Amino acid sequence: MARKSVKVTADGNEAAGEDRDPLLVQSVEKAFRVLRAFDGTRPNLSLSQIADEAGLDMSAAQRFTHTLTKLGYLDKDADTRRFELTVKSLDFGYHYTRASSLVERGMPYLLHLSKETEETVNLTVLDGTDIVFVSRFMSRHVLNNDVITGTRLPAYCTAPGIAILSFLPEEDAYGVLERSHLHPYTPHTTWEMDALREKLKKSAGRGYATAFEEYFHGDLSVAAPVLDANGKPYGAINIAVSRSRYTPEETEQRFSALVTAAARSISMAGGARR
């Protein structure tokens, strides 16, 4: 996914002229920039690569990597002098899942759906223009091994993303679409703005969303939003199945009522009322 470029001065600070938050602790923000430089395509990085990815000069990058290494979040190979994340970085995800009321309330319903359908069941939330998987029960008919808890996918071409967007106020939903990098991942991707707006209206009307091979080939998904007490979506539950085992029509007919009921139950468990 595209990274936001950061203009910096020689001392590693953001360039003047940009909007500044007087309460923002810039050193903390820069430390997280360093941590976010690592991902599946860049599991280990040199100091110069970190500086480039984080928008820091070499001196600042050296200070931040040294500090994060001392704190146990980075490890430096003595021979290659390259850095990588340590297992301690998982603490953030662990504490989120333990503290999340959505995950806590959703777990029994996810487990029930998983046992009843024997298909992959996910709980996701919207973050920016992406959905993030916060809980996942895998099917024995394994789909997409590379999707794990914490994985991000574009909201506009996933069933959970469309389900969430369809229950947001139009201005908010369209704002997410406008900020997204809209393009077709597969020949089946709905990605043009007019078509996406129509899809949101359709999904809002029936209470669930579908995505058939829009991001992954062979992946069919049905999702419904989880709503808060004001009827605002703050998550979605979905069932994903393989195109080799179901047609899109069979998927929608068999699973739409199940995910809608589960999402409604989670919403009600949180005191939500439509």
Side-chain angles (χ1 to χ4, degrees):
M1 296 184 183
R3 292 176 176 271
K4 181 182 178 181
S5 61
V6 181
K7 295 181 179 180
V8 295
T9 59
D11 60 0
N13 291 317
E14 291 186 11
E18 297 183 359
D19 292 336
R20 292 287 184 86
D21 183 343
L23 296 179
L24 180 70
V25 181
Q26 293 187 22
S27 59
V28 176
E29 187 270 337
K30 291 171 186 174
F32 276 97
R33 273 195 237 159
V34 170
L35 293 174
R36 287 196 301 268
F38 299 86
D39 61 22
T41 62
R42 293 181 298 271
N44 58 76
L45 297 169
S46 67
L47 184 63
S48 61
Q49 288 174 320
I50 292 172
D52 183 61
E53 290 291 331
L56 302 171
D57 66 14
M58 288 291 287
S59 177
Q62 185 176 41
R63 294 195 303 273
F64 282 108
T65 53
H66 175 79
T67 301
L68 290 167
T69 300
K70 284 291 185 179
L71 293 175
Y73 293 102
L74 290 182
D75 184 54
K76 182 179 181 181
D77 187 287
D79 296 323
T80 65
R81 303 181 68 81
R82 296 176 70 86
F83 295 86
E84 63 182 12
L85 296 175
T86 69
V87 70
K88 191 173 182 179
S89 302
L90 287 175
D91 287 352
F92 296 112
Y94 171 77
H95 292 310
Y96 170 81
T97 57
R98 296 295 295 174
S100 170
S101 59
L102 173 61
V103 173
E104 179 184 9
R105 288 197 303 273
M107 197 60 64
Y109 302 100
L110 296 176
L111 183 59
H112 174 73
L113 274 184
S114 176
K115 289 181 176 179
E116 182 175 347
T117 66
E118 295 188 344
E119 303 296 346
T120 298
V121 180
N122 304 299
L123 184 65
T124 59
V125 297
L126 182 69
D127 185 37
T129 60
D130 298 330
I131 57 163
V132 182
F133 290 76
V134 296
S135 188
R136 180 166 168 84
F137 284 79
M138 292 288 291
S139 165
R140 61 189 176 89
H141 311 289
V142 178
L143 282 172
N144 307 319
N145 281 326
D146 56 339
V147 177
I148 60 174
T149 301
T151 294
R152 289 175 172 269
L153 295 178
Y156 75 89
C157 57
T158 58
I162 292 297
I164 294 172
L165 294 179
S166 68
F167 275 73
L168 284 175
E170 281 191 358
E171 181 179 353
D172 295 341
Y174 294 167
V176 172
L177 295 179
E178 289 166 359
R179 293 192 301 274
S180 300
H181 177 45
L182 303 178
H183 68 282
Y185 285 92
T186 77
H188 305 285
T189 304
T190 303
W191 64 279
E192 295 180 319
M193 187 63 75
D194 288 344
L196 284 168
R197 288 176 176 173
E198 185 61 32
K199 189 169 187 177
L200 292 184
K201 291 178 182 178
K202 183 178 180 180
S203 299
R206 62 189 181 181
Y208 66 89
T210 60
F212 301 139
E213 299 188 276
E214 295 208 24
Y215 187 86
F216 293 112
H217 290 283
D219 180 75
L220 309 179
S221 178
V222 182
V226 177
L227 309 176
D228 66 15
N230 298 312
K232 184 177 181 180
Y234 64 108
I237 187 169
N238 82 294
I239 294 176
V241 300
S242 172
R243 183 69 172 82
S244 65
R245 299 176 55 245
Y246 294 94
T247 66
E249 294 76 18
E250 289 171 338
T251 302
E252 185 172 355
Q253 181 178 14
R254 182 167 182 175
F255 299 114
S256 60
L258 291 176
V259 295
T260 302
R264 185 180 299 116
S265 297
I266 298 172
S267 300
M268 296 296 284
R273 296 291 188 273
R274 281 293 287 162

